[in-house]
Amino acid sequence: MYRHLYSPAIPAPFGGNVIAGLRRLAVVITALLLLGACGGPSLDATSLLRTTKTALDGTSSFHFVLTSANVTGSGAELTGGSGDMKRPASMSGELQVSILGLALSVPVVSLGGTFWVKLPTGSGFSTANPADYGFADPAKLIDPNSGLSSLLLKCQSPQVEGDDRLNGEALHEIGCSLPGSAVAALLTSADASKSVAATFGVDTGSSQLRRVVLTGPFISKSTSSTYTLVLTNYGENVSVTPPASG
């Protein structure tokens, strides 16, 4: 006669439920690990902006393209442009302005604090005050202390808003609020007491600043306008010389 020995490691009444629970737990843990591997570490917006400032301040030059939306007024307004920036404080290019509703495209040069413009009515370049055309000295864009890169460290409550692509490049998008006075000193403003909404597009590989979108009361205190600045060609050989006067 054989005696039936029954000594399972887990009591029979509960063994099935426990094993099933362990299996479900294993599935959950595996899923969490896979999600973590796919998502990767989260980005710190403030740290990324600091790295981007270092990259921008470290380049000798860059090319820019400026566009705008809802920029209308009764005076002189900057509506767009393109050109090259070179350290320490020089710029050459062509800007689009609207003066009393008349759209003009004017070649400009800024070098060492002197601004030249070539108007359609003139035979050559003449010195001018950029404020007369609705903007600050464009050469300030490349200044590490008061230029475009300085805005990166003045972001209030920066947040990673997601990723985007520009000309085939992947970008991290950082959104924040900027003091209106800081933007007014660099661009223009109808009410420097109001903050400006900003989105900075940063190249995911090089941490170079590629796109800046600013929305605020640039032309009118009661109406928001938008300027979009795209930066390319970091470190290219650029030469900016005083133009021949007319």
Side-chain angles (χ1 to χ4, degrees):
M1 178 179 294
Y2 297 94
R3 295 181 62 188
H4 180 70
L5 300 178
Y6 182 73
S7 56
I10 301 174
F14 305 99
N17 291 338
V18 171
I19 293 174
L22 290 174
R23 287 174 177 170
R24 288 195 293 270
L25 180 61
V27 171
V28 171
I29 292 174
T30 302
L32 290 174
L33 290 174
L34 288 174
L35 286 174
C38 293
S42 60
L43 286 172
D44 181 83
T46 301
S47 178
L48 180 58
L49 290 175
R50 289 197 188 102
T51 302
T52 302
K53 175 174 169 55
T54 299
L56 185 54
D57 290 344
T59 187
S60 60
S61 63
F62 61 79
H63 181 76
F64 74 89
V65 175
L66 178 71
T67 56
S68 66
N70 202 30
V71 176
T72 57
S74 57
E77 292 87 35
L78 175 66
T79 59
S82 62
D84 295 307
M85 310 295 305
K86 180 177 174 62
R87 295 196 188 280
S90 59
M91 172 267 177
S92 65
E94 193 167 276
L95 299 180
Q96 282 77 54
V97 297
S98 175
I99 301 178
L100 300 177
L102 177 64
L104 299 175
S105 183
V106 293
V108 299
V109 175
S110 181
L111 179 63
T114 303
F115 179 77
W116 291 268
V117 60
K118 185 178 181 182
L119 296 173
T121 55
S123 58
F125 284 86
S126 58
T127 58
N129 182 355
D132 293 339
Y133 299 91
F135 51 88
D137 186 348
K140 290 182 178 180
L141 276 176
I142 204 168
D143 189 297
N145 298 314
S146 59
L148 184 59
S149 72
S150 70
L151 298 181
L152 297 170
L153 301 189
K154 294 176 181 177
C155 270
Q156 299 171 348
S157 303
Q159 298 288 333
V160 179
E161 295 185 340
D163 291 343
D164 197 3
R165 299 192 71 84
L166 177 66
N167 298 327
E169 294 180 324
L171 304 180
H172 294 310
E173 299 240 287
I174 309 297
C176 69
S177 177
L178 291 171
S181 56
V183 179
L186 185 60
L187 188 58
T188 185
S189 179
D191 188 352
S193 67
K194 293 183 179 179
S195 60
V196 171
T199 302
F200 295 101
V202 179
D203 185 276
T204 59
S206 64
S207 295
Q208 292 179 345
L209 183 63
R210 283 285 180 260
R211 180 171 60 199
V212 182
V213 182
L214 303 173
T215 301
F218 298 117
I219 308 303
S220 168
K221 292 183 178 182
S222 59
T223 304
S224 290
S225 303
T226 298
Y227 284 106
T228 300
L229 186 69
V230 174
L231 279 60
T232 57
N233 302 346
Y234 277 52
E236 281 199 347
N237 187 19
V238 173
S239 177
V240 180
T241 58
S245 300

